[in-house]
Amino acid sequence: DRIILEHHTDIRGDRDDNVLALAWLNSFHQSGVKNLMDRAVLHFAEDTPEALLAASAYRKVDELPFDFERRRLSVVVSDVDRNHLMVCKGAVEEMLAVSTQVWDGTACRPLTDTDREALTETARDYNREGFRVLLVATREI
């Protein structure tokens, strides 16, 4: 009954604290009962102040709660300039099914079938090692 956050990576598999900050925004701002994954994200982020500093500039605007059909939870947050950002966290297959772009470390670009296959295979590899994998995605609103 205990989960720890072991990795937070970008599409290349490199550690990315921005991914952690986005996951924290999603986990922190959800109104429902925090599941084990959310608690692991929140706990891990406590030891990564740079991720929390970036995320703390946002306030919650709205939420689309998790359900077993969508298999993702979405929160809409606003920054100090009132720019709205939707942050979704959820199951790999469902997130890839609704995603159209990917951040490759330098820019957003179209999410290709090759990217989808590579991400799915990476998730399978992690699953075989006993990890549970979630994807985090955003959309400016």
Side-chain angles (χ1 to χ4, degrees):
D1 290 344
R2 184 169 174 259
I3 294 177
I4 60 168
L5 177 65
E6 184 70 23
H7 305 284
H8 51 284
T9 66
D10 62 17
I11 189 170
R12 297 178 314 267
D14 298 328
R15 178 185 165 129
D16 188 336
D17 286 342
N18 188 51
V19 171
L20 176 61
L22 293 170
W24 183 89
L25 277 171
N26 181 281
S27 295
F28 180 80
H29 287 294
Q30 67 167 295
S31 59
V33 175
K34 309 275 192 257
N35 65 31
L36 293 174
M37 296 292 287
D38 294 309
R39 286 186 276 180
V41 167
L42 295 171
H43 178 72
F44 187 92
E46 290 173 1
D47 296 328
T48 313
E50 59 276 7
L52 290 180
L53 181 62
S56 66
Y58 290 87
R59 67 172 183 80
K60 180 178 176 179
V61 174
D62 203 358
E63 176 178 354
L64 295 163
F66 179 88
D67 65 58
F68 288 99
E69 188 172 316
R70 291 176 64 242
R71 294 186 60 200
R72 63 185 181 272
L73 182 136
S74 305
V75 296
V76 178
V77 293
S78 174
D79 66 13
V80 295
D81 295 324
R82 297 187 182 198
N83 298 310
H84 290 78
L85 182 69
M86 181 167 52
V87 182
C88 301
K89 179 168 64 13
V92 173
E93 301 81 17
E94 281 71 14
M95 294 296 290
L96 288 175
V98 298
S99 297
T100 59
Q101 295 184 342
V102 64
W103 177 258
D104 67 7
T106 58
C108 272
R109 62 172 175 76
L111 179 65
T112 66
D113 288 339
T114 302
D115 294 327
R116 289 177 204 280
E117 290 169 14
L119 287 167
T120 300
E121 187 56 35
T122 297
R124 281 190 198 119
D125 291 344
Y126 275 125
N127 291 151
R128 283 190 280 271
E129 294 178 26
F131 291 103
R132 181 162 176 220
V133 180
L134 297 176
L135 293 185
V136 178
T138 63
R139 172 173 273 177
E140 292 179 6
I141 299 178

